[in-house]
């Protein structure tokens, strides 16, 4: 019997394991029963949920697209006559032959000439999107897993929309984009064209996970770059979607291929050790430093066990951390003081939530290999303990006002953009457009204040915000509208509290004046979200019940 998973399941596991924002709150929207966007099914016939004998040796992993991406194996045979790559999907196409609506969001930042670095980013991002679409178009006739097929449909829709936004910005900046994919990307299409069934599923998912690891890293670096605000804005709004693609892709892959779980867990431990070494040097909170040292000790020991297992099973392991994990290390190195402590603990909440979920998946009947299941069972208690401890520490660390204000404001921009693209309600769509456009100038003000005060601003959302974003990506119709409006009310409520506290500090500062000037706007935004909620009826009640159920589970 096949079992269904989704981003919502991943989000719920994060909440149930204790992932939270600084106020200790947990929230998730709902998914409509008809949702197919990024909602996945484990396997096709005879998949992970099948009962019966479990193989004693992990399945041979598919070859990753690049060294170090995960497990390795024999390269699939290339056909004697290379297949002609399919024509790239028309930018903006939601599926082959169909064009989804694309919201018009006025660019809130004046267009400036592209720099060499931003031109390279736009070019690479656009070409990567074309490649993702081209690869995904193979899935309907070659994939065995329903989950892979649905994931591929989402890749076509999402990357087509993102590529439309890239095209629009490139045209405004006079940047010429490529019209086709690279030779290496075309070779990957040719190789996958020769596969069907489980070999296709595994190779396709390795390809998309590898591509999204690099895409997330590129977007992170561009989102914090200062040479081109237009490209930085585009990278910032695309980043949470790319991170969602990566999380879901990894989730599907480690279900299809137990060797992927081993590689992911080992690589995640390598990243935990590298991040922790930085924290031992930089953290100002003694509890955070102790946590970091514990991460070094326990993840080093865990990787020793994984190495011994991999050698026994002749499974290769990655020798370095993944591109997005390296980008996270670079991002953490920008911070200091309580802001570093908070950023480090938030990274740990997200990383350990994923690790716990993957281990628990392998521990159930969904795990395809009894030996991998035993490894997962041995690792899960420590991973769960790390997650609970990280969540507690994150709640107890108060970052600077500019850190928290910028993170909240950035969430409004990203959620607003999502609302403008996905809402089916004209009022909600319009609200989303305004949130994206009206909060962007505020972000620029925050950056100016931060520069004068020597403060570094985050580019990552909080764990809770990431959880909710991933949940809303799969929501449909009125449930999306209600979840979007409800979370906007929550975001603005918290922002009003933080900004009010800042105005009441005993000494006058620039941030106090800034907070005072923004309070009327934040209040108006919050009140408008409440008005939207009042018109959404029973869907709000449903989502509130789901939120309460998540809280009760903690």
């Amino acid at each position: 019997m096949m079992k269904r998973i989704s981003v919502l399941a991943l989000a719920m596991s994060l909440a149930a394991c204790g992932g939270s924002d600084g106020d200790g709150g947990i929230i998730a929207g709902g998914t409509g029963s008809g949702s197919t966007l990024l909602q996945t099914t484990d396997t096709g016939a005879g998949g992970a949920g099948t009962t019966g004998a479990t193989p004693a040796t992990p399945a041979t992993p598919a070859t990753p697209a690049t060294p170090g991406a995960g497990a390795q194996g024999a390269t699939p045979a290339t056909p004697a006559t290379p297949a002609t790559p399919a024509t790239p999907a028309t930018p903006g196409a939601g599926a082959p032959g169909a064009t989804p609506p694309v919201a018009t969001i006025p660019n809130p930042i004046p267009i400036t000439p592209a720099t060499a670095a931003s031109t390279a980013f736009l070019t690479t991002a656009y070409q990567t999107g074309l490649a993702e679409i081209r690869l995904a178009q193979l899935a309907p006739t070659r994939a065995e897993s329903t989950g892979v097929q649905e994931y591929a449909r989402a890749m076509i829709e999402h990357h087509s929309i993102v590529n439309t936004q890239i095209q629009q910005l490139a045209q405004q900046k006079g940047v010429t984009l490529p019209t086709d994919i690279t030779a290496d990307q075309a070779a990957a299409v040719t190789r996958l064209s020769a596969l069907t069934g489980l070999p296709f599923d595994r190779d396709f998912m390795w390809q998309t996970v590898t591509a999204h690891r690099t895409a997330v890293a590129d977007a992170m670096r561009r989102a914090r770059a200062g040479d081109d605000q237009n490209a930085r804005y585009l990278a910032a709004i695309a980043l949470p979607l790319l991170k969602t693609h990566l999380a879901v892709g990894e989730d599907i892959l480690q279900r299809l291929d137990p060797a992927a779980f081993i590689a992911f867990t080992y690589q995640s431990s390598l990243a935990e050790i590298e991040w922790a070494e930085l924290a031992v040097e930089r953290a100002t909170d003694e509890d955070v430093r102790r946590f970091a040292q514990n991460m070094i000790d326990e993840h080093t020991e865990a990787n020793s066990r994984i190495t011994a297992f991999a050698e026994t099973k002749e499974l290769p392991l990655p020798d370095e951390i993944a591109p997005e994990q390296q980008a996270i290390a670079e991002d953490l190195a920008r911070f200091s003081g309580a802001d570093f402590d908070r950023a480090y603990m938030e990274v740990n909440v997200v990383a350990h939530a994923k690790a716990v979920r993957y281990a628990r998946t392998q521990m159930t009947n969904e795990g395809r290999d009894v030996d991998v299941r035993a490894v997962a069972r041995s690792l899960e208690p420590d991973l769960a303990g790390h997650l609970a401890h990280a969540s507690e520490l994150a709640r107890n660390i108060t970052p600077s006002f500019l850190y928290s204000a910028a993170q909240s404001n950035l969430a409004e921009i990203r959620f607003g953009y999502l609302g403008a693209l996905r809402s089916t309600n004209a009022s909600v769509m319009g609200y989303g457009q305004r949130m994206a456009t009206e909060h962007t100038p505020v972000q620029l003000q925050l950056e100016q204040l931060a520069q004068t005060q020597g403060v570094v601003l985050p580019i990552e959302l909080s764990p809770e915000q990431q959880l909710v974003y991933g949940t809303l990506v799969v929501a449909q119709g009125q449930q999306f509208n209600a979840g979007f409006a409800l979370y906007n009310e929550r975001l603005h409520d918290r922002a009003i509290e933080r900004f009010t506290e800042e105005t009441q500090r005993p000494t006058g500062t620039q941030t106090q004046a800034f907070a005072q000037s923004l309070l009327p706007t934040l209040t108006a935004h919050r009140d408008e979200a409440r008005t939207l909620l009042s018109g959404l009826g029973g869907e709000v009640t449903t989502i509130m019940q789901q939120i309460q159920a998540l809280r009760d589970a903690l």
Side-chain angles (χ1 to χ4, degrees):
M1 179 178 180
M2 294 181 292
K3 296 185 178 181
R4 184 169 291 276
I5 64 170
S6 67
V7 174
L8 177 59
L10 190 61
M12 289 178 69
S13 71
L14 172 57
C17 292
S20 69
D21 70 349
D23 299 318
I26 304 296
I27 183 171
T31 57
S33 59
S35 172
T36 59
L37 208 62
L38 288 184
Q39 194 171 17
T40 66
T41 307
D42 271 42
T43 62
T50 303
T51 58
T54 305
T57 304
T60 302
T63 303
T66 57
Q72 302 176 23
T75 303
T78 302
T81 303
T84 302
T87 302
T90 302
T99 302
V102 177
T104 300
I105 303 178
N107 195 316
I109 302 174
I111 299 297
T112 58
T115 64
S118 64
T119 297
F121 168 74
L122 294 174
T123 299
T124 300
Y126 183 78
Q127 206 160 32
T128 299
L130 288 180
E132 285 292 326
I133 293 166
R134 188 82 63 84
L135 289 168
Q137 287 174 331
L138 299 173
T141 58
R142 290 171 173 80
E144 173 184 291
S145 165
T146 304
V148 172
Q149 292 172 354
E150 293 183 348
Y151 182 88
R153 283 196 290 271
M155 292 306 96
I156 293 171
E157 177 178 347
H158 291 179
H159 281 286
S160 295
I161 292 173
V162 171
N163 268 14
T164 296
Q165 307 303 315
I166 296 173
Q167 272 191 321
Q168 291 173 353
L169 180 59
Q171 185 175 12
Q172 291 172 316
K173 296 173 82 69
V175 174
T176 301
L177 296 173
T179 59
D180 205 353
I181 58 180
T182 67
D184 286 345
Q185 291 165 342
V189 174
T190 298
R191 186 178 70 250
L192 278 172
S193 297
L195 304 178
T196 58
L198 184 59
F200 173 88
D201 292 347
R202 287 178 173 173
D203 202 336
F204 171 75
M205 293 311 303
W206 270 117
Q207 291 286 342
T208 193
V209 164
T210 301
H212 280 94
R213 284 174 165 175
T214 300
V216 167
D218 289 347
M220 287 185 68
R221 293 182 177 114
R222 179 48 39 186
R224 62 177 181 251
D227 62 323
D228 188 329
Q229 288 184 336
N230 308 126
R232 178 154 56 90
Y233 174 76
L234 180 63
I237 59 178
L239 182 57
L241 182 63
L242 295 173
K243 288 175 74 74
T244 300
H245 290 174
L246 177 58
V248 179
E250 289 178 341
D251 199 20
I252 295 172
L253 179 55
Q254 61 97 24
R255 291 165 185 266
L256 293 170
D257 187 353
F261 165 75
I262 297 298
F264 291 168
T265 304
Y266 181 85
Q267 196 168 44
S268 178
S269 284
L270 289 180
E272 284 288 347
I273 294 167
E274 183 165 330
W275 300 337
E277 288 172 345
L278 182 63
V280 168
E281 296 177 0
R282 284 181 173 258
T284 57
D285 186 293
E286 184 59 34
D287 289 335
V288 173
R289 282 199 298 273
R290 280 195 292 266
F291 176 89
Q293 186 60 55
N294 190 44
M295 292 303 96
I296 294 171
D297 297 339
E298 296 197 12
H299 281 286
T300 298
E301 193 276 332
N303 269 7
S304 295
R305 284 184 278 157
I306 294 172
T307 298
F309 176 82
E311 289 174 351
T312 300
K313 295 294 183 179
E314 298 183 347
L315 292 176
L317 295 172
D319 56 8
E320 60 185 2
I321 64 177
E324 88 283 358
Q325 293 165 341
Q326 180 58 46
I328 289 172
E330 295 166 8
D331 195 52
L332 286 174
R334 300 183 306 132
F335 296 102
S336 61
D339 290 352
F340 173 88
D341 296 345
R342 178 62 174 268
Y344 172 66
M345 296 317 306
E346 288 182 336
V347 163
N348 271 275
V349 170
V350 174
H352 282 101
K354 291 170 64 176
V356 168
R357 174 167 175 78
Y358 299 164
R360 290 177 178 173
T361 298
Q362 296 299 323
M363 288 164 58
T364 68
N365 287 336
E366 296 179 59
R368 293 177 173 231
D369 184 271
V370 292
D371 295 329
V372 171
R373 189 178 303 164
V375 172
R377 191 175 292 114
S378 72
L379 295 172
E380 189 275 341
D382 283 344
L383 294 172
H386 296 169
L387 175 58
H389 194 187
S391 299
E392 180 183 4
L393 288 176
R395 281 192 295 268
N396 293 330
I397 297 168
T398 302
S400 66
F401 167 75
L402 288 175
Y403 181 103
S404 59
Q407 191 174 57
S408 174
N409 194 71
L410 189 58
E412 286 293 348
I413 295 170
R414 290 170 172 175
F415 278 91
Y417 192 79
L418 186 64
L421 289 176
R422 293 199 34 77
S423 178
T424 57
N425 179 295
S427 296
V428 174
M429 180 183 293
Y431 180 80
Q433 290 174 331
R434 288 195 302 281
M435 292 307 96
T437 55
E438 292 181 16
H439 279 276
T440 297
V442 174
Q443 197 71 13
L444 298 180
Q445 288 180 270
L446 283 164
E447 290 171 5
Q448 292 172 352
L449 280 172
Q451 187 173 13
T452 62
Q453 298 189 19
V455 174
V456 175
L457 300 184
I459 60 169
E460 292 272 45
L461 300 180
S462 72
E464 178 190 287
Q465 291 161 356
Q466 292 183 48
L467 181 157
V468 178
Y469 186 98
T471 302
L472 288 178
V473 164
V474 304
Q476 298 285 325
Q478 283 292 83
Q479 284 206 334
F480 173 86
N481 297 332
F484 173 77
L486 183 63
Y487 196 60
N488 265 277
E489 179 190 37
R490 182 177 176 86
L491 276 175
H492 283 97
D493 265 338
R494 289 181 177 171
I496 290 168
E497 291 176 7
R498 282 192 293 268
F499 278 56
T500 299
E501 289 172 359
E502 184 65 16
T503 64
Q504 295 171 350
R505 291 178 60 189
T507 56
T509 65
Q510 286 180 298
T511 53
Q512 282 179 287
F514 168 78
Q516 187 65 54
S517 69
L518 261 292
L519 276 172
T521 299
L522 294 172
T523 302
H525 288 175
R526 190 269 314 276
D527 292 346
E528 186 175 357
R530 288 179 175 173
T531 300
L532 290 173
L533 281 171
S534 67
L536 294 174
E539 297 296 343
V540 176
T541 301
T542 300
I543 287 178
M544 290 182 69
Q545 290 171 344
Q546 292 171 344
I547 293 169
Q548 190 58 50
L550 286 174
R551 289 174 173 166
D552 291 344
L554 295 176

